């Protein structure tokens, strides 16, 4: 019982508190975005994922023994230092009186229908999390990806052992440049939870919640202040997900069946969050504001996180951001936007070039 309590505490720190604190570094204090804990949680996870990708890939390419042990040390320091730095900044802002004030809500009376809709949304969300964690699905790709996470955690090497047989293998550029299973192995090493349990039970609960957090952020931009609009939007998304298994390759099927695979994270978290950031960019330009450094840093971290999920994700993220940035620049006649858009595409473009070089 004590061991389970310690494991749960570590999980809350790694997947909850650490991203939430890290995201506060990317939020502008005093703004609506800075007071949004959902946005801080998702953007903070993007920051941590990007840091993992940048630390992990060079160690994989070094092809040394015990490179996973080195990764755990380096990324453990990074995961500790970033939230501590964020906490220090928050305390400094509070001391100077510049901390973000609490969100003020107008008392518009209770809306019973909206409350009922939110309860239905919450019930369907919990249902999906329980089904994804409890039921066993026949998914062939898990034989490789879960195997990679388990072998990595046991052998202390990354992509040097074939997950199917345990025999030595050569470098695989397709999987080695998108080491999402290694991140699962890192969580397994720190918590003591087996990689298979982490992939099939723990992470589905967290990643499904994060996916709906992205849709929540998008919905707030689409429906505005209509109190019943946002839960109706989320309810519509949940219905699409629950009944979206008409093919093995839909994003809905990936969310519920392949939740802890990098491709599922790309389709259900990275790309929707990029859409939200493009919504935010258009909103800022329409209001005559210039996106600050924190916004573009969030975009850049999200692009790097796409590289962690899949090599294909690097190309897709570049295409999405490039097309969205170009359309925004044309619509609002703000051609300077194209320069930071191009800068944010440097990291994923570099991984695509590296893949073509090594494949």
């Amino acid at each position: 019982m004590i061991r389970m309590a310690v494991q749960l505490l570590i999980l809350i720190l790694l997947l909850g508190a650490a991203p939430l604190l890290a995201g506060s570094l990317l939020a502008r204090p005093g703004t609506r975005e800075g007071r949004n804990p959902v946005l801080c949680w998702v953007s903070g996870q993007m920051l941590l994922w990007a840091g993992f990708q940048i630390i992990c890939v060079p160690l994989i390419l070094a092809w040394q023994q015990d490179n996973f042990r080195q990764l755990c040390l380096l990324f453990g320091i990074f995961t500790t230092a970033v939230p501590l730095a964020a906490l220090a900044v928050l305390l400094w802002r509070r001391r100077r009186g510049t901390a973000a004030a609490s969100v003020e809500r107008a008392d518009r009376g209770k809306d019973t229908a909206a409350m009922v809709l939110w309860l239905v949304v919450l019930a369907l969300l919990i249902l999906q999390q329980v089904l994804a964690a409890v039921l066993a699905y026949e998914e062939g790709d898990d034989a490789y990806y879960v195997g990679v996470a388990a072998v990595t955690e046991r052998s202390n090497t990354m992509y040097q052992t074939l997950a199917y047989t345990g025999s030595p293998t050569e470098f695989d550029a397709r999987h080695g440049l998108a080491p999402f299973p290694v991140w699962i192995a890192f969580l397994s090493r720190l918590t003591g939870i087996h990689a298979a349990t982490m992939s099939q039970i723990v992470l589905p609960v967290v990643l499904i919640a994060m996916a709906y957090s992205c849709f929540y952020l998008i919905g707030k931009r689409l429906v505005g202040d209509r109190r019943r609009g946002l839960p109706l939007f989320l309810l519509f998304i949940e219905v699409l997900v629950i009944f979206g298994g008409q093919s093995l390759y839909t994003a809905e099927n990936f969310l519920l069946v392949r939740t802890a695979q990098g491709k599922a994270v790309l389709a259900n978290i990275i790309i929707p969050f990029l859409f939200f950031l493009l919504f935010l960019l258009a909103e800022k330009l329409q209001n005559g504001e210039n996106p600050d450094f924190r916004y573009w840093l969030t975009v850049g971290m999200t692009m790097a996180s796409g590289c962690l999920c899949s090599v294909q994700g690097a190309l897709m993220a570049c295409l999405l951001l490039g097309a969205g940035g170009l359309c925004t620049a044309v619509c609002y006649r703000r051609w300077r936007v194209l320069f930071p858009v191009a800068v944010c595409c440097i990291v994923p473009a570099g991984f695509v070039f590296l893949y073509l070089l090594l494949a």
Side-chain angles (χ1 to χ4, degrees):
M1 184 65 69
I2 296 178
R3 181 181 179 184
M4 291 181 60
V6 172
Q7 291 174 339
L8 181 61
L9 177 60
I10 296 174
L11 282 173
I12 293 174
L13 292 175
L14 288 176
L15 300 176
L20 185 62
L21 285 172
S24 66
L25 288 176
L26 301 175
R28 187 176 179 181
T31 62
R32 183 172 61 169
E33 292 81 17
R35 295 190 297 265
N36 191 333
V38 176
L39 178 57
C40 287
W41 182 49
V42 178
S43 59
Q45 188 61 69
M46 297 299 165
L47 174 58
L48 296 179
W49 275 342
F52 185 87
Q53 172 75 356
I54 294 172
I55 294 171
C56 182
V57 171
L59 291 175
I60 292 175
L61 296 177
W63 206 254
Q64 297 176 351
Q65 293 293 325
D66 288 343
N67 52 6
F68 178 67
R69 195 190 305 274
Q70 301 172 25
L71 171 69
C72 291
L73 175 61
L74 294 176
F75 186 65
I77 294 174
F78 178 81
T79 306
T80 304
V82 171
L84 288 179
L87 184 60
V89 170
L90 288 175
L91 293 176
W92 178 76
R93 288 174 183 168
R94 182 178 297 275
R95 190 171 183 179
R96 290 176 57 91
T98 58
S102 59
V103 182
E104 296 181 1
R105 299 182 182 273
D107 187 9
R108 295 180 291 179
K110 293 183 178 180
D111 190 335
T112 305
M115 294 175 61
V116 171
L117 287 172
W118 277 114
L119 289 176
V120 175
V121 168
L122 180 61
L124 289 180
L125 172 60
I126 295 174
L127 174 65
Q128 293 177 49
Q129 291 174 315
V130 171
L131 292 179
V134 173
L135 297 183
Y137 298 94
E138 183 181 355
E139 173 46 47
D141 285 349
D142 281 341
Y144 179 77
Y145 293 114
V146 176
V148 168
V151 168
T152 298
E153 200 277 329
R154 279 186 168 271
S155 66
N156 278 318
T157 60
M158 297 182 288
Y159 295 100
Q160 297 181 24
T161 303
L162 189 62
Y164 295 124
T165 63
S167 59
T169 184
E170 297 179 353
F171 177 70
D172 180 5
R174 176 191 166 195
H175 298 104
L177 296 180
F180 193 82
V182 180
W183 177 69
I184 299 176
F186 169 79
L187 296 178
S188 178
R189 173 63 61 86
L190 262 64
T191 60
I193 300 174
H194 193 276
T197 305
M198 183 68 68
S199 299
Q200 302 297 316
I201 297 178
V202 177
L203 284 181
V205 176
V206 178
L207 295 178
I208 288 175
M210 188 171 291
Y212 280 105
S213 296
C214 295
F215 292 123
Y216 168 83
L217 295 171
I218 293 174
K220 284 185 71 70
R221 255 59 196 182
L222 292 178
V223 304
D225 294 329
R226 286 175 287 183
R227 301 183 69 178
R228 303 179 188 178
L230 184 56
L232 279 173
F233 173 78
L234 292 174
L235 185 59
F236 176 69
I237 296 295
E238 288 179 327
V239 172
L240 288 180
V241 170
I242 292 174
F243 295 98
Q246 69 272 13
S247 168
L248 294 176
Y249 306 105
T250 62
E252 297 88 348
N253 182 272
F254 271 53
L255 179 60
L256 294 182
V257 178
R258 310 184 183 199
T259 315
Q261 293 181 16
K263 295 174 289 186
V265 174
L266 173 68
N268 294 287
I269 297 178
I270 303 298
I271 291 179
F273 191 63
L274 274 177
F275 270 109
F276 163 74
L277 292 174
L278 289 173
F279 274 125
L280 193 59
L281 174 63
E283 182 182 279
K284 288 179 178 293
L285 295 181
Q286 186 175 10
N287 295 334
E289 303 176 17
N290 289 319
D292 59 4
F293 173 75
R294 293 183 182 89
Y295 170 82
W296 291 115
L297 182 60
T298 305
V299 175
M301 297 298 101
T302 307
M303 299 289 284
S305 298
C307 302
L308 172 66
C309 298
S310 170
V311 174
Q312 185 183 15
L315 181 60
M316 293 179 64
C318 284
L319 291 175
L320 176 59
L321 182 62
L326 181 61
C327 291
T328 305
V330 171
C331 290
Y332 296 100
R333 305 291 195 276
R334 301 289 289 274
W335 304 106
R336 290 189 218 173
V337 170
L338 296 178
F339 176 73
V341 165
V343 172
C344 291
C345 291
I346 290 177
V347 172
F351 278 106
V352 171
F353 175 76
L354 188 60
Y355 171 73
L356 296 175
L357 188 65
L358 297 174

